Amino acid sequence: MTTQAEPAEAGTGTGPSDRAAQGGFGDALREWRVRRRVSQLELATRAGTTQRHVSFVESGRSVPGRAMVVRLAEALKVPLRERNARLLAMSYAPAYQESHFGDPQLSAGRTALERVMEAHLPYPAVIIDRRGDLVSRNDAFDALTEGVANCWVMGVLYRAGRSVSGWSVRWERRILCRMRDLDRVGLVGQVD
């Protein structure tokens, strides 16, 4: 038995399966546009499209192509990882290569950061990635934290990073998880 494809909804040009494939791009686009305080018309001008098309994309009435997703994201200066995530959610290939701190392509930047950390000696210095994970540290940091429970070290980094927006919630969760782990093995009293 042959089945027919689901017909497009009247007047929209997209069927329900197309909307599901959109992966919430319209909502994310609206969120980024509002966050950047950009009108639909201004976004359309920046991205080289019409205000009507931006409105249709935001409402889910239109599914943008890969190139349009990239242009809209570039116009709003969306971070590259978020752009890739949106492209993947819409079943498009990522447009930007993700690099890790240890990648050979980043050797010049890594060398510069290591020199900055060495220049901080005898004071401790750390490099923390966007998720709040410790990526690198200098010898003074190692000497300072030698023999100290990881939970205490994380608490120090938490307090130091509070001024950076968004870190406090992540660090608080990590510290609470570490405290629970230490509590299970009976080390919480030793951390205080």
Side-chain angles (χ1 to χ4, degrees):
M1 178 176 174
T2 307
T3 59
Q4 293 182 348
E6 209 169 56
E9 294 179 13
T12 65
T14 61
S17 60
D18 291 333
R19 286 190 187 171
Q22 190 175 358
F25 180 73
D27 294 334
L29 178 65
R30 183 180 303 108
E31 180 183 325
W32 277 104
R33 185 179 58 76
V34 169
R35 188 180 298 174
R36 300 285 195 247
R37 295 185 175 145
V38 174
S39 69
Q40 286 182 344
L41 182 59
E42 185 178 347
L43 174 58
T45 303
R46 289 180 188 178
T49 188
T50 64
Q51 183 269 330
R52 184 177 184 179
H53 185 61
V54 171
S55 175
F56 276 30
V57 169
E58 284 186 359
S59 67
R61 292 178 66 189
S62 177
V63 178
R66 183 177 185 273
M68 180 56 66
V69 170
V70 171
R71 287 196 339 237
L72 290 167
E74 284 175 354
L76 289 172
K77 298 179 182 167
V78 174
L80 300 181
R81 283 187 179 93
E82 179 71 17
R83 294 180 199 183
N84 276 346
R86 290 292 150 204
L87 286 166
L88 285 170
M90 296 180 65
S91 300
Y92 295 129
Y96 307 96
Q97 181 180 354
E98 186 172 342
S99 300
H100 300 284
F101 189 71
D103 284 350
Q105 296 172 325
L106 300 178
S107 63
R110 191 174 46 256
T111 301
L113 288 170
E114 288 169 357
R115 285 183 184 166
V116 169
M117 287 197 313
E118 287 175 24
H120 274 79
L121 290 172
Y123 304 105
V126 296
I127 298 173
I128 300 173
D129 68 9
R130 66 185 180 88
R131 291 181 302 267
D133 295 326
L134 184 64
V135 174
S136 186
R137 61 201 178 274
N138 67 4
D139 292 336
F141 184 82
D142 288 338
L144 178 70
T145 59
E146 185 177 336
V148 177
N150 281 340
C151 185
W152 184 85
V153 172
M154 292 185 76
V156 169
L157 292 175
Y158 166 70
R159 286 188 288 282
R162 281 186 78 134
S163 61
V164 180
S165 70
W167 280 28
S168 59
V169 172
R170 286 193 299 268
W171 277 105
E172 187 172 353
R173 286 183 189 148
R174 286 170 182 246
I175 289 168
L176 290 174
C177 285
R178 291 288 183 172
M179 289 295 286
R180 285 187 203 116
D181 291 344
L182 291 173
D183 188 37
R184 281 188 209 124
V185 293
L187 294 175
V188 169
Q190 296 176 15
V191 176
D192 298 333

